[in-house]
Amino acid sequence: AQTVTQSQPEMSVQEAETVTLSCTYDTSENNYYLFWYKQPPSRQMILVIRQEAYKQQNATENRFSVNFQKAAKSFSLKISDSQLGDTAMYFCAFNVGSSNTGKLIFGQGTTLQVKP
Amino acid sequence: GAGVSQSPSNKVTEKGKDVELRCDPISGHTALYWYRQSLGQGLEFLIYFQGNSAPDKSGLPSDRFSAERTGGSVSTLTIQRTQQEDSAVYLCASSLRGLYSYNEQFFGPGTRLTVL
């Protein structure tokens, strides 16, 4: 079975500091994609960052970067210079490249609060 | 351009009643997904539509759940004889093509269903 685990239900960080959210996954596939989605109180899911498993280089998007450890099946999200607008629920998600549906498998989510 | 829209935003119903939830995907997106987000849980895949192909219904939790997509655009998720455990946020997403897993899924704001 393919699963995604986020072991931190809640986290908090002071504004301007750095925080790392953890995610591990389980799959026997070799070709897959990993995602971090942000869900603010408005419920609108927004893609934060994406990583292709065949790429060794970690993805970065402005203040957001990932630490992808394929052998350990770990995919953590680092948020630098945290802003109040980063307060949201963050979901790690995964799908299999050979899948013909592209459906996403999500973790339980981590609620992040950025404090002023 | 317009994003994915869903209606209603909130729905309160009595146990045993039928409900219909609507999703309008982004114009030109051939792939459409329904997910369910129960309180404190991650998103759970329900059903996937790709163009005129037969839908992937593997995530539907029971035969009380059904969905259709008319004309390759608007989709309706129907829950018959609602139960209290059906209470959740139902999210719809669309992407350009579901056959390629790296295609970003764009989510709607969801419908919060409460079954009394």
Side-chain angles (χ1 to χ4, degrees):
Chain A
Q2 295 162 343
T3 59
V4 177
T5 302
Q6 294 178 248
S7 59
Q8 306 153 313
E10 297 180 353
M11 293 192 73
S12 64
V13 63
Q14 291 296 131
E15 194 175 7
E17 293 187 349
T18 296
V19 64
T20 299
L21 309 183
S22 301
C23 173
T24 58
Y25 57 94
D26 189 24
T27 182
S28 58
E29 299 286 338
N30 193 48
N31 179 27
Y32 50 88
Y33 300 85
L34 294 158
F35 307 85
W36 277 98
Y37 275 89
K38 169 185 177 181
Q39 186 181 42
S42 66
R43 298 200 307 244
Q44 188 78 52
M45 295 280 283
I46 303 164
L47 179 65
V48 174
I49 199 165
R50 172 176 61 213
Q51 174 80 41
E52 292 86 346
Y54 63 85
K55 289 187 177 180
Q56 293 186 340
Q57 186 174 6
N58 289 325
T60 62
E61 286 288 342
N62 301 313
R63 298 182 297 107
F64 299 88
S65 62
V66 299
N67 183 5
F68 174 48
Q69 301 290 327
K70 190 172 184 178
K73 294 180 182 175
S74 171
F75 183 61
S76 61
L77 174 69
K78 184 172 81 171
I79 306 174
S80 303
D81 186 26
S82 297
Q83 301 176 359
L84 296 177
D86 295 334
T87 292
M89 196 159 188
Y90 288 80
F91 290 96
C92 179
F94 156 97
N95 68 9
V96 176
S98 61
S99 163
N100 63 356
T101 68
K103 66 184 179 186
L104 294 169
I105 301 169
F106 285 86
Q108 304 286 68
T110 296
T111 299
L112 175 66
Q113 183 178 14
V114 180
K115 298 179 179 178
Chain B
V4 177
S5 62
Q6 292 186 246
S7 60
S9 178
N10 290 282
K11 176 71 176 178
V12 180
T13 190
E14 294 180 349
K15 178 182 174 180
K17 295 286 181 69
D18 297 351
V19 295
E20 285 189 351
L21 312 180
R22 177 188 167 104
C23 172
D24 281 89
I26 293 172
S27 177
H29 281 192
T30 61
L32 187 147
Y33 306 80
W34 283 97
Y35 295 89
R36 178 170 69 175
Q37 183 177 17
S38 302
L39 184 63
Q41 302 292 314
L43 279 70
E44 169 192 17
F45 166 78
L46 296 177
I47 189 168
Y48 157 78
F49 295 91
Q50 170 63 52
N52 295 319
S53 303
D56 175 356
K57 305 179 183 180
S58 61
L60 294 179
S62 78
D63 58 9
R64 295 186 295 105
F65 288 72
S66 63
E68 63 177 18
R69 188 178 185 192
T70 55
S73 180
V74 172
S75 176
T76 303
L77 177 68
T78 301
I79 308 173
Q80 296 178 311
R81 305 182 301 282
T82 52
Q83 304 294 312
Q84 289 183 332
E85 60 263 29
D86 299 334
S87 296
V89 175
Y90 289 83
L91 290 161
C92 174
S94 70
S95 68
L96 277 172
R97 294 170 70 180
L99 292 175
Y100 299 98
S101 300
Y102 56 77
N103 279 328
E104 180 179 351
Q105 292 185 25
F106 294 83
F107 284 80
T111 294
R112 180 179 297 281
L113 175 66
T114 303
V115 182
L116 301 176

